[in-house]
Amino acid sequence: YESGDVFFTHVNNNSSSSHTTALDHPDLNGDSGVDEIHITSNYSFQGALGPYNNDNEGIYYTGGKWRIFNEGLVDIAENAAFNVFKFGATTNTFEHEVTTTGASTTDINQSGLDGEFQRILQVTQHYTGTYNDHPPGVWYGFGKWRISNFDLMDIPNGTNYNVYYQAPSKSAWEHVATAANIVGNWTILDNPIINGVPCAQVHVTQSASQGVFNGHPIGVWYDGYRWSVYNQNEVAMPEDAAFHVVVSPEQVAACSDIIFKDGFD
């Protein structure tokens, strides 16, 4: 993991109906230019299950703060939680803008990714003026990484994404859903860094490495022992759905240390 990583879980405490929720963190406030921010919906923050956020999420900046929003303009429920990660490795982060129309896929042209089929990516939709109410994911072919709408609908021209990439490691890997790890609409992760750690902040991006496009909004949740990736709309998880997973060993160590588990420092 990299020095300078910022990680926290944001909980929507706005009781009024809105499809947006404002982040408030000193390392993000007032900085409109960052492209290192990524989010993942967390159904089980601090052991309190729910609520679902069944929509395609993105982020945008206004009024001095970054905000999470639902692309489909669906209200974000009170107490909905999101893991937020601002990566310290800025050389591995960039913004990608779609400049073509009529396709569900956009090619990424990036020297650190071209020809590197084993990279682990995180992709978050970043609204800069164009909505894309579809679930994003990544796949590799013909020497290039690509971002796709996993429901296979066309990506609008002007759609923008924050992208992070790294080599596979103990804390960055691809998970593939199989009959052995699927339960209903979720697939169970198995990594000793996060097994048995309910406070871990898990980040996921869909992958079509196995040829399966899971065209549904996703999130993560903890069942009391293991973390899982789940479909927000409760559709059964298909076999061979794949996910790029990134966690921070620094964050896991800090949150699970018994000295600091109650937040004292």
Side-chain angles (χ1 to χ4, degrees):
Y1 56 89
E2 295 291 332
S3 173
D5 286 348
V6 176
F7 32 78
F8 62 98
T9 298
H10 169 77
V11 178
N12 179 37
N13 292 320
N14 183 5
S15 59
S16 60
S17 297
S18 176
H19 69 284
T20 73
T21 178
L23 305 178
D24 188 4
H25 193 283
D27 289 305
L28 276 63
N29 295 347
D31 191 352
S32 63
V34 297
D35 54 16
E36 307 97 64
I37 302 172
H38 292 268
I39 59 169
T40 296
S41 182
N42 182 354
Y43 178 73
S44 52
F45 178 57
Q46 293 183 340
L49 296 182
Y52 283 97
N53 187 57
N54 183 23
D55 203 7
N56 301 296
E57 302 133 358
I59 59 174
Y60 73 106
Y61 182 88
T62 188
K65 286 186 170 63
W66 284 92
R67 299 165 195 269
I68 296 170
F69 77 105
N70 281 334
E71 297 266 4
L73 309 184
V74 173
D75 288 347
I76 299 174
E78 187 176 8
N79 296 321
F82 304 87
N83 294 338
V84 182
F85 206 148
K86 178 186 175 186
F87 288 95
T90 56
T91 56
N92 290 5
T93 63
F94 60 95
E95 292 196 30
H96 174 77
E97 183 177 352
V98 177
T99 57
T100 59
T101 57
S104 64
T105 294
T106 175
D107 293 355
I108 300 174
N109 295 305
Q110 185 76 10
S111 59
L113 284 174
D114 291 348
E116 301 288 348
F117 69 94
Q118 290 185 317
R119 293 290 189 246
I120 300 297
L121 284 72
Q122 293 295 295
V123 169
T124 293
Q125 302 204 74
H126 175 191
Y127 174 80
T128 56
T130 302
Y131 286 96
N132 182 45
D133 183 21
H134 305 283
V138 297
W139 58 284
Y140 181 88
F142 306 103
K144 294 282 186 184
W145 280 95
R146 294 166 166 82
I147 300 171
S148 288
N149 280 339
F150 267 38
D151 58 5
L152 304 182
M153 300 300 291
D154 288 351
I155 304 174
N157 184 36
T159 299
N160 197 79
Y161 303 92
N162 286 0
V163 183
Y164 166 82
Y165 67 92
Q166 68 167 84
S169 71
K170 292 180 179 179
S171 59
W173 72 98
E174 182 173 80
H175 169 82
V176 178
T178 67
N181 62 38
I182 292 174
V183 180
N185 63 317
W186 70 89
T187 175
I188 302 169
L189 305 177
D190 185 9
N191 185 307
I193 295 176
I194 59 174
N195 291 349
V197 185
C199 59
Q201 293 177 14
V202 182
H203 287 263
V204 292
T205 288
Q206 299 212 62
S207 165
S209 66
Q210 310 302 304
V212 172
F213 290 80
N214 179 50
H216 312 287
I218 61 170
V220 296
W221 79 288
Y222 183 75
D223 67 3
Y225 178 62
R226 296 280 178 86
W227 282 92
S228 295
V229 183
Y230 73 101
N231 283 333
Q232 295 268 9
N233 57 5
E234 303 187 73
V235 171
M237 181 66 65
E239 288 190 40
D240 290 329
F243 305 90
H244 287 189
V245 187
V246 174
V247 298
S248 167
E250 179 184 26
Q251 183 272 324
V252 171
C255 84
S256 59
D257 187 332
I258 192 169
I259 297 174
F260 300 109
K261 70 175 184 176
D262 295 319
F264 296 104
D265 54 19

